[in-house]
Each structure stands twice: as structure tokens, then as C-alpha cells.
Amino acid sequence: MKLNKIIVYLIFIILILGALLPVASYLLMGILIALLVAFRQEKIIWNHLLHNRILLVMIISTVLSSLFSDLWYISIFFSILYIMKILFCSIISCYLDEEHVDKIIFLLMCLGIIVSAIGIFQYFYFNGDMPKSWVDSNVYDIDFRAYSTFFNPNILAGFLNLTLLVGIVQFESNKNNRNMIIAILCSVLSTSCLLLTYSRNGWLSLCISFVALSIINRKYIKYAVLFPVIFVIFDFLGDTGRLLPRNIVADSSIEYRIKIWIAAIKILKDNLVLGIGPGTIWEQIPLYSNDLKAYISHVHNIYLQRLVDTGIIGLFCFVWFIKYLWSRIREDVFNNLDISIISLGFYVTLLGNGFFDAICFQEQISVYVWTLIGINLAKTKSNRTVNEKHEEIQEKTC
């Protein structure tokens, strides 16, 4: 079997495991990177990074923050994970073609069906206890929230936003009967399971995403109207009160987030330039807050998280990268290329969701974030040059 085929198979297995068994997906990602090094393919990845230098700058920024972290040994571990995801992104850019992209879209719809079915079954037939902070039963009439294989309803909602976007974009553009059936099934099940997560942030960010897509193409206007109506009717008929302003004000999770943000700002004042290093917020939060002593993995805001982890330098790189990525997909977005429409919609959900959560930095979701980034960067003119060099290098090394 040719090396290229092995690489492609490993990429697809990683995407499957990302939704079902995340730890295994990162182990396999490490094996994939080691395989490329063993077969002397690192030059291909290096050329891709050189043509997308912002990726190298973000790596350097993260590593610097880790080296100057009080818990540098922990922070370096998280930096290694971050570097692995960027390398995975580059591998996708260099080794996947348009046919593979179509298969990834189909795979995402299938994963959406499987994950949603598990979540729906779990909601109706699983009677296990949930953390009180997830349901806040003193405010809402909720006993359980679906989390499926993602172990957190808000993270699941982020994934379902992606599969919903994939299903709807495919439904609107695909004339293939098989894909149409899968797209409809994916959309219906993902919507149903998303409702059962009771994730306000997930609901709102999806609505914002369809508003953004409506600006690009009018055919998405109906979804920008439909989904808010679905969420409001579901909340009203279920009498859960998730969308009632008085309940939102009384929600303990809002107060909890505000306390975390205040502590994070205090941390930032003492670590403005390089931050405290990724993966160490749990150690610092209790030192800056008298109320927060439990384990906290993130600050529930991606912009503040980036500032706290990597300082002003890291946030600058983050904003620069968003601008760079938009410049690479803009032409394909306005040409209504499916994968670029899906990517834009998903990025909007993550950036909107990021004001109150940090799911795009969670390991399960970030696998798919960097997959889409890798596909998007493969569309650049500069990367066509990389692919030409890729073929030359393969001829010499394989």
C-alpha cells in the first residue's frame, strides 16, 4: 500500500475517533506524524508551514509562553498537543484532494447521525446523575442534558453545530440521492439532539452563523428564521425556561463565569506579555479568587483565554490568524464552494460561542477545527506550489 493511502486512511480514522474516542485520536495523530518523519516526509510539512508562516508564529508564541510558565512542564505538554494539531492541519493540506474533501463531508454527516442518535437515546433512557451546575434545577425544569460521546453538553452542542451546517449545506447544494437522504437524516437528528443539550450558547451561535451565511447567500435566510423559531417553541412547549430573561439572570452559570472572568483579568495584569502558559489556568485561578477553589480548565471566553494563556502576543497572533484565514477562504465562500461555506459557518459559531465558552480549544472539537483549517489552506495559491514540491519530494524519498 502506498504511503499516501496510509496517510489518508489514518486521517479518516482520526476524525472518526475524535467524535467517539478522543484520547485514541491523539495517539493516532502522534503515530501519523512519526510515520511521516520515518519516511522522510517532513520537508513537505515544512514547506507548507513556510507558505503559511502565521502557523509557525503561533507555535513560537505558544512555546515561549510555556517556557516562561510557572508550571512549564505541564504547559509544554499542552504546547505539544497544540503543535500536533497544527501539524495535522498541514498534513491535511498537503495530502488530501477534492475527492477526499467530499468524503470528509460525508463522514461528518455520518458522525452527526451516530453521535446524535447516542445523545437522544441517552437523554430518554439514561438515568444517571449530572453535575448540578449543568442543570441548575433550582432555576430550570431540567433533570438531564444530552452529552453523547462528548461528556459535556456544551461541547456536544458545538459539534452538532458543525454537523448541522454540513447537513444543511449539503441538502441545499447536493443532487445526489444518497447524500440527500444522509443530509436530511443528519440535519434532523442533529437538530433534535442539539435541543436536548439545552445549550443556549449552542443555540444562539448557530442562529448567528445562519445570519452570517444569509449575507453570503439568500437561500440560508430561511434557516436564520427557522432555527430561532424552533428553539423558542421548544423552550416554551417544554416549559424549561432556558430562554426566559429572568431565569438567565438567576442562572448560577452566569455568576460563575463572571467570577472566572474577574479572576482571569487579575491574572492577566500580572502576566500581560506572555501569559501563564496553556493548560495552567486551573492552578492560577484559586490564587486570584476567594470563591473559586474547584478545578477550572478554561475561562469560558476564547479571547480572554488566549490572553491569559499566551498574553498580548498570543492574542495578536490569534486575531492575525483569523484575518489570514478569512483572506484564504473569502473567494471560495462567495463562489459558494460547499466546504468553504461550512467552514465559515462553523468558524462563526465558534467565535460567537467564544464570548461565553471556549469549546474551540477543547481537544475533541479542535480536531475538526484544524481539519477544516487544513482543507481551507490547501485552497491557497501558495499551497498549490507546495503541492508541486510535495510531488517532487515524494519522488525522491518514496
Side-chain angles (χ1 to χ4, degrees), residues 298-315:
H298 59 87
V299 302
H300 291 275
N301 182 297
I302 59 173
Y303 312 100
L304 189 55
Q305 183 75 51
R306 204 65 189 162
L307 264 173
V308 171
D309 282 352
T310 55
I312 289 178
I313 295 175
L315 181 64

PDB file of all heavy atoms in Angstrom, residues 298-315:
ATOM      1  N   HIS A 298     -10.766  26.143  31.888  1.00  0.00           N
ATOM      2  CA  HIS A 298     -10.699  27.276  30.969  1.00  0.00           C
ATOM      3  C   HIS A 298     -11.540  28.423  31.516  1.00  0.00           C
ATOM      4  O   HIS A 298     -12.286  28.256  32.487  1.00  0.00           O
ATOM      5  CB  HIS A 298     -11.173  26.880  29.561  1.00  0.00           C
ATOM      6  CG  HIS A 298     -12.577  26.358  29.521  1.00  0.00           C
ATOM      7  ND1 HIS A 298     -13.677  27.186  29.397  1.00  0.00           N
ATOM      8  CD2 HIS A 298     -13.083  25.104  29.605  1.00  0.00           C
ATOM      9  CE1 HIS A 298     -14.782  26.461  29.390  1.00  0.00           C
ATOM     10  NE2 HIS A 298     -14.449  25.196  29.523  1.00  0.00           N
ATOM     11  N   VAL A 299     -11.433  29.603  30.896  1.00  0.00           N
ATOM     12  CA  VAL A 299     -12.062  30.801  31.461  1.00  0.00           C
ATOM     13  C   VAL A 299     -13.393  31.160  30.783  1.00  0.00           C
ATOM     14  O   VAL A 299     -13.922  32.242  30.993  1.00  0.00           O
ATOM     15  CB  VAL A 299     -11.102  32.013  31.413  1.00  0.00           C
ATOM     16  CG1 VAL A 299      -9.824  31.718  32.170  1.00  0.00           C
ATOM     17  CG2 VAL A 299     -10.805  32.444  29.983  1.00  0.00           C
ATOM     18  N   HIS A 300     -13.916  30.251  29.956  1.00  0.00           N
ATOM     19  CA  HIS A 300     -15.238  30.450  29.339  1.00  0.00           C
ATOM     20  C   HIS A 300     -15.286  31.694  28.436  1.00  0.00           C
ATOM     21  O   HIS A 300     -16.309  32.349  28.333  1.00  0.00           O
ATOM     22  CB  HIS A 300     -16.334  30.532  30.401  1.00  0.00           C
ATOM     23  CG  HIS A 300     -16.580  29.234  31.094  1.00  0.00           C
ATOM     24  ND1 HIS A 300     -17.420  28.269  30.598  1.00  0.00           N
ATOM     25  CD2 HIS A 300     -16.074  28.729  32.245  1.00  0.00           C
ATOM     26  CE1 HIS A 300     -17.436  27.223  31.422  1.00  0.00           C
ATOM     27  NE2 HIS A 300     -16.626  27.480  32.423  1.00  0.00           N
ATOM     28  N   ASN A 301     -14.187  31.968  27.783  1.00  0.00           N
ATOM     29  CA  ASN A 301     -14.130  33.045  26.790  1.00  0.00           C
ATOM     30  C   ASN A 301     -12.844  32.838  26.001  1.00  0.00           C
ATOM     31  O   ASN A 301     -11.748  32.907  26.581  1.00  0.00           O
ATOM     32  CB  ASN A 301     -14.137  34.417  27.465  1.00  0.00           C
ATOM     33  CG  ASN A 301     -14.126  35.561  26.474  1.00  0.00           C
ATOM     34  OD1 ASN A 301     -13.177  35.733  25.707  1.00  0.00           O
ATOM     35  ND2 ASN A 301     -15.174  36.364  26.484  1.00  0.00           N
ATOM     36  N   ILE A 302     -12.930  32.593  24.698  1.00  0.00           N
ATOM     37  CA  ILE A 302     -11.725  32.238  23.936  1.00  0.00           C
ATOM     38  C   ILE A 302     -10.745  33.392  23.824  1.00  0.00           C
ATOM     39  O   ILE A 302      -9.530  33.178  23.770  1.00  0.00           O
ATOM     40  CB  ILE A 302     -12.076  31.697  22.529  1.00  0.00           C
ATOM     41  CG1 ILE A 302     -12.867  32.725  21.705  1.00  0.00           C
ATOM     42  CG2 ILE A 302     -12.818  30.386  22.622  1.00  0.00           C
ATOM     43  CD1 ILE A 302     -13.076  32.302  20.263  1.00  0.00           C
ATOM     44  N   TYR A 303     -11.240  34.621  23.799  1.00  0.00           N
ATOM     45  CA  TYR A 303     -10.364  35.784  23.646  1.00  0.00           C
ATOM     46  C   TYR A 303      -9.592  36.029  24.948  1.00  0.00           C
ATOM     47  O   TYR A 303      -8.380  36.252  24.939  1.00  0.00           O
ATOM     48  CB  TYR A 303     -11.194  37.008  23.246  1.00  0.00           C
ATOM     49  CG  TYR A 303     -12.144  36.692  22.105  1.00  0.00           C
ATOM     50  CD1 TYR A 303     -13.498  36.425  22.338  1.00  0.00           C
ATOM     51  CD2 TYR A 303     -11.677  36.606  20.792  1.00  0.00           C
ATOM     52  CE1 TYR A 303     -14.357  36.096  21.306  1.00  0.00           C
ATOM     53  CE2 TYR A 303     -12.527  36.276  19.747  1.00  0.00           C
ATOM     54  CZ  TYR A 303     -13.867  36.013  20.009  1.00  0.00           C
ATOM     55  OH  TYR A 303     -14.713  35.673  18.986  1.00  0.00           O
ATOM     56  N   LEU A 304     -10.314  35.944  26.047  1.00  0.00           N
ATOM     57  CA  LEU A 304      -9.669  36.081  27.352  1.00  0.00           C
ATOM     58  C   LEU A 304      -8.765  34.885  27.630  1.00  0.00           C
ATOM     59  O   LEU A 304      -7.685  35.039  28.222  1.00  0.00           O
ATOM     60  CB  LEU A 304     -10.744  36.209  28.440  1.00  0.00           C
ATOM     61  CG  LEU A 304     -10.282  36.571  29.852  1.00  0.00           C
ATOM     62  CD1 LEU A 304      -9.457  37.854  29.849  1.00  0.00           C
ATOM     63  CD2 LEU A 304     -11.489  36.714  30.777  1.00  0.00           C
ATOM     64  N   GLN A 305      -9.192  33.702  27.177  1.00  0.00           N
ATOM     65  CA  GLN A 305      -8.372  32.503  27.350  1.00  0.00           C
ATOM     66  C   GLN A 305      -7.042  32.639  26.626  1.00  0.00           C
ATOM     67  O   GLN A 305      -5.985  32.295  27.166  1.00  0.00           O
ATOM     68  CB  GLN A 305      -9.120  31.275  26.811  1.00  0.00           C
ATOM     69  CG  GLN A 305      -8.388  29.954  27.014  1.00  0.00           C
ATOM     70  CD  GLN A 305      -8.442  29.481  28.446  1.00  0.00           C
ATOM     71  OE1 GLN A 305      -9.506  29.424  29.033  1.00  0.00           O
ATOM     72  NE2 GLN A 305      -7.293  29.143  29.007  1.00  0.00           N
ATOM     73  N   ARG A 306      -7.121  33.152  25.408  1.00  0.00           N
ATOM     74  CA  ARG A 306      -5.878  33.326  24.636  1.00  0.00           C
ATOM     75  C   ARG A 306      -4.957  34.345  25.308  1.00  0.00           C
ATOM     76  O   ARG A 306      -3.734  34.161  25.334  1.00  0.00           O
ATOM     77  CB  ARG A 306      -6.240  33.805  23.217  1.00  0.00           C
ATOM     78  CG  ARG A 306      -5.180  33.488  22.180  1.00  0.00           C
ATOM     79  CD  ARG A 306      -5.038  32.001  22.001  1.00  0.00           C
ATOM     80  NE  ARG A 306      -3.895  31.669  21.171  1.00  0.00           N
ATOM     81  CZ  ARG A 306      -3.346  30.481  21.121  1.00  0.00           C
ATOM     82  NH1 ARG A 306      -3.812  29.513  21.879  1.00  0.00           N
ATOM     83  NH2 ARG A 306      -2.318  30.227  20.342  1.00  0.00           N
ATOM     84  N   LEU A 307      -5.559  35.407  25.832  1.00  0.00           N
ATOM     85  CA  LEU A 307      -4.774  36.414  26.549  1.00  0.00           C
ATOM     86  C   LEU A 307      -4.107  35.828  27.784  1.00  0.00           C
ATOM     87  O   LEU A 307      -2.906  36.033  28.013  1.00  0.00           O
ATOM     88  CB  LEU A 307      -5.682  37.576  26.965  1.00  0.00           C
ATOM     89  CG  LEU A 307      -5.726  38.806  26.066  1.00  0.00           C
ATOM     90  CD1 LEU A 307      -6.811  39.759  26.551  1.00  0.00           C
ATOM     91  CD2 LEU A 307      -4.376  39.510  26.024  1.00  0.00           C
ATOM     92  N   VAL A 308      -4.861  35.102  28.581  1.00  0.00           N
ATOM     93  CA  VAL A 308      -4.326  34.536  29.817  1.00  0.00           C
ATOM     94  C   VAL A 308      -3.261  33.490  29.521  1.00  0.00           C
ATOM     95  O   VAL A 308      -2.220  33.437  30.186  1.00  0.00           O
ATOM     96  CB  VAL A 308      -5.462  33.920  30.669  1.00  0.00           C
ATOM     97  CG1 VAL A 308      -4.890  33.125  31.843  1.00  0.00           C
ATOM     98  CG2 VAL A 308      -6.388  35.014  31.190  1.00  0.00           C
ATOM     99  N   ASP A 309      -3.486  32.654  28.517  1.00  0.00           N
ATOM    100  CA  ASP A 309      -2.541  31.583  28.188  1.00  0.00           C
ATOM    101  C   ASP A 309      -1.257  32.105  27.556  1.00  0.00           C
ATOM    102  O   ASP A 309      -0.155  31.666  27.919  1.00  0.00           O
ATOM    103  CB  ASP A 309      -3.186  30.580  27.233  1.00  0.00           C
ATOM    104  CG  ASP A 309      -4.132  29.627  27.927  1.00  0.00           C
ATOM    105  OD1 ASP A 309      -4.170  29.636  29.172  1.00  0.00           O
ATOM    106  OD2 ASP A 309      -4.843  28.877  27.226  1.00  0.00           O
ATOM    107  N   THR A 310      -1.391  33.013  26.601  1.00  0.00           N
ATOM    108  CA  THR A 310      -0.220  33.418  25.796  1.00  0.00           C
ATOM    109  C   THR A 310       0.010  34.922  25.749  1.00  0.00           C
ATOM    110  O   THR A 310       0.863  35.389  24.985  1.00  0.00           O
ATOM    111  CB  THR A 310      -0.367  32.883  24.359  1.00  0.00           C
ATOM    112  OG1 THR A 310      -1.616  33.334  23.810  1.00  0.00           O
ATOM    113  CG2 THR A 310      -0.345  31.363  24.336  1.00  0.00           C
ATOM    114  N   GLY A 311      -0.747  35.698  26.535  1.00  0.00           N
ATOM    115  CA  GLY A 311      -0.513  37.133  26.631  1.00  0.00           C
ATOM    116  C   GLY A 311      -0.941  37.911  25.390  1.00  0.00           C
ATOM    117  O   GLY A 311      -1.590  37.388  24.487  1.00  0.00           O
ATOM    118  N   ILE A 312      -0.541  39.174  25.368  1.00  0.00           N
ATOM    119  CA  ILE A 312      -0.878  40.062  24.245  1.00  0.00           C
ATOM    120  C   ILE A 312      -0.316  39.520  22.938  1.00  0.00           C
ATOM    121  O   ILE A 312      -0.958  39.601  21.891  1.00  0.00           O
ATOM    122  CB  ILE A 312      -0.344  41.481  24.506  1.00  0.00           C
ATOM    123  CG1 ILE A 312      -1.158  42.146  25.623  1.00  0.00           C
ATOM    124  CG2 ILE A 312      -0.415  42.336  23.245  1.00  0.00           C
ATOM    125  CD1 ILE A 312      -0.681  43.525  25.985  1.00  0.00           C
ATOM    126  N   ILE A 313       0.871  38.948  22.998  1.00  0.00           N
ATOM    127  CA  ILE A 313       1.498  38.405  21.781  1.00  0.00           C
ATOM    128  C   ILE A 313       0.631  37.283  21.201  1.00  0.00           C
ATOM    129  O   ILE A 313       0.374  37.235  19.990  1.00  0.00           O
ATOM    130  CB  ILE A 313       2.918  37.882  22.090  1.00  0.00           C
ATOM    131  CG1 ILE A 313       3.832  39.047  22.507  1.00  0.00           C
ATOM    132  CG2 ILE A 313       3.497  37.150  20.886  1.00  0.00           C
ATOM    133  CD1 ILE A 313       5.209  38.612  22.946  1.00  0.00           C
ATOM    134  N   GLY A 314       0.167  36.392  22.062  1.00  0.00           N
ATOM    135  CA  GLY A 314      -0.665  35.281  21.603  1.00  0.00           C
ATOM    136  C   GLY A 314      -1.999  35.741  21.046  1.00  0.00           C
ATOM    137  O   GLY A 314      -2.474  35.210  20.039  1.00  0.00           O
ATOM    138  N   LEU A 315      -2.625  36.734  21.697  1.00  0.00           N
ATOM    139  CA  LEU A 315      -3.904  37.251  21.200  1.00  0.00           C
ATOM    140  C   LEU A 315      -3.720  37.934  19.849  1.00  0.00           C
ATOM    141  O   LEU A 315      -4.558  37.780  18.949  1.00  0.00           O
ATOM    142  CB  LEU A 315      -4.506  38.234  22.201  1.00  0.00           C
ATOM    143  CG  LEU A 315      -5.867  38.811  21.794  1.00  0.00           C
ATOM    144  CD1 LEU A 315      -6.923  37.714  21.708  1.00  0.00           C
ATOM    145  CD2 LEU A 315      -6.316  39.906  22.764  1.00  0.00           C
TER     146      LEU A 315
END
